[in-house]
Amino acid sequence: MAEYSFPTVQTVETGDNVLFTNGYRCCKKGYVQHRDSSGIFTLKGAGCKALYRVQFNANIAIATGGTVEPISVAISLDGETLNNAEAIVTPAAIGDFFNVSIATYIEVPCGCCVTISVENTSDTTDIDVVNANLIIDRVA
């Protein structure tokens, strides 16, 4: 299991990734590769097919200067949004935070790698993200 977080507020533009830092629970075996303060993770199959459970939790709000409309985040696989792993909320005002949680399973083929990220999938609005937490658990 590996855990990455970013506890302070970060403003994430539409289409950009949520950033994470390497904590003391980051992967030490090389199955999950991540550059500190980046939003992209590489999951490795390590010689055979692997299955990972990826879970994201955070508080999100419309960033200052944004428009009151639905906002969303999603787990992306190799740059494509996973529709089964998207959270959408509609704040009543700018700065109103909502807690969101999404999870999915990611299959990595034998001898291959995939990249994942958590992306701001809102149509036109930048978002503030605080207490971002990503848990990546190799289950098989």
Side-chain angles (χ1 to χ4, degrees):
M1 182 191 78
E3 182 178 22
Y4 301 85
S5 61
F6 201 102
T8 57
V9 176
Q10 60 180 296
T11 299
V12 182
E13 295 180 6
T14 300
D16 282 353
N17 297 324
V18 176
L19 304 180
F20 295 91
T21 58
N22 292 339
Y24 65 94
R25 289 189 210 140
C26 64
C27 181
K28 309 281 194 259
K29 294 182 179 182
Y31 297 132
V32 179
Q33 296 183 344
H34 175 255
R35 183 175 43 85
D36 196 32
S37 297
S38 166
I40 298 174
F41 296 81
T42 301
L43 307 182
K44 298 175 85 175
C48 60
K49 186 168 84 170
L51 183 66
Y52 292 88
R53 183 173 191 274
V54 178
Q55 181 176 341
F56 170 75
N57 298 293
N59 297 311
I60 64 172
I62 298 169
T64 302
T67 304
V68 176
E69 63 182 11
I71 55 175
S72 58
V73 290
I75 297 172
S76 294
L77 174 63
D78 292 330
E80 293 187 15
T81 300
L82 297 175
N83 294 330
N84 69 323
E86 184 172 29
I88 303 169
V89 296
T90 306
I94 293 168
D96 286 353
F97 279 91
F98 278 77
N99 183 267
V100 295
S101 180
I102 47 181
T104 191
Y105 287 91
I106 304 288
E107 189 173 298
V108 181
C110 292
C112 288
C113 299
V114 299
T115 60
I116 63 165
S117 61
V118 178
E119 182 181 328
N120 174 3
T121 54
S122 305
D123 289 335
T124 60
T125 302
D126 297 347
I127 62 172
D128 285 337
V129 179
V130 66
N131 294 328
N133 189 54
L134 186 71
I135 296 174
I136 302 170
D137 192 16
R138 186 177 171 143
V139 294

